[in-house]
Amino acid sequence: MGAISREEFNARIETIETRMDARLDAVSMKIDGFLSVQGERDKTQVERDRRYDLITQEMRRIADGAQDAARQGATVKANVWAATAVQLLGIVAIVVGAYYANQANMYVAIQTTFAAVQAGKDAHTPKPSVLPTPLPPQ
């Protein structure tokens, strides 16, 4: 091998530096691209997390609404049972009232029947009346 002149050495070093600069620029661009993609991915993740939070809040509101509806349903159910109990008590009161009202009427009807039977026993069959015989003429 021969001796390398200073200009050749400098030219080689410049070539190597140029290649290294190009490689560094390529790596730097790749890193910048990666960081850009990561930034977009992070933005997307933040947006997704925000949407999930909104969905979670909406689900909580729906669950609270369902609990309120269940409470109202239980209140309606209790009101229906109370109304049913009032209706049954009303029917029982009507039946008992009708029984006692009818019982008084039955006593009157029985008493009237016995009075009629007794009156029938006391009344005798009328005997045929005998026609007075005319007196002979004198």
Side-chain angles (χ1 to χ4, degrees), residues 105-118:
N105 288 338
M106 285 298 292
Y107 286 147
V108 169
I110 291 171
Q111 192 174 19
T112 305
T113 303
F114 283 147
V117 168
Q118 192 62 36

Side-chain angles (χ1 to χ4, degrees), residues 125-133:
T125 55
K127 294 181 182 175
S129 60
V130 179
L131 290 174
T133 55

Side-chain angles (χ1 to χ4, degrees), residues 3 10-12 22-23 30-31 35 46 62-63 67 70 72 89-90 96 107 112 121 127 134:
N10 283 338
R12 274 194 167 173
R23 286 180 185 166
K30 285 181 181 179
I31 289 173
L35 291 176
V46 167
I62 290 170
Q67 286 177 345
Q72 288 176 354
L89 287 174
V96 168
Y107 286 147
T112 305
K121 284 183 182 177
K127 294 181 182 175

Side-chain angles (χ1 to χ4, degrees), residues 42-132:
D42 289 345
K43 287 179 187 176
T44 304
Q45 185 66 36
V46 167
E47 180 66 25
R48 186 179 304 137
D49 289 346
R50 190 175 63 79
R51 280 185 283 155
Y52 284 152
D53 289 341
L54 290 174
I55 290 170
T56 302
Q57 289 173 359
E58 184 65 25
M59 289 176 67
R60 284 186 182 143
R61 272 186 258 157
I62 290 170
D64 291 341
Q67 286 177 345
D68 290 341
R71 279 190 218 111
Q72 288 176 354
T75 302
V76 168
K77 187 177 179 181
N79 289 341
V80 166
W81 281 112
T84 302
V86 167
Q87 288 177 351
L88 287 175
L89 287 174
I91 290 171
V92 168
I94 290 170
V95 168
V96 168
Y99 171 75
Y100 283 114
N102 193 27
Q103 188 177 19
N105 288 338
M106 285 298 292
Y107 286 147
V108 169
I110 291 171
Q111 192 174 19
T112 305
T113 303
F114 283 147
V117 168
Q118 192 62 36
K121 284 183 182 177
D122 288 343
H124 299 293
T125 55
K127 294 181 182 175
S129 60
V130 179
L131 290 174

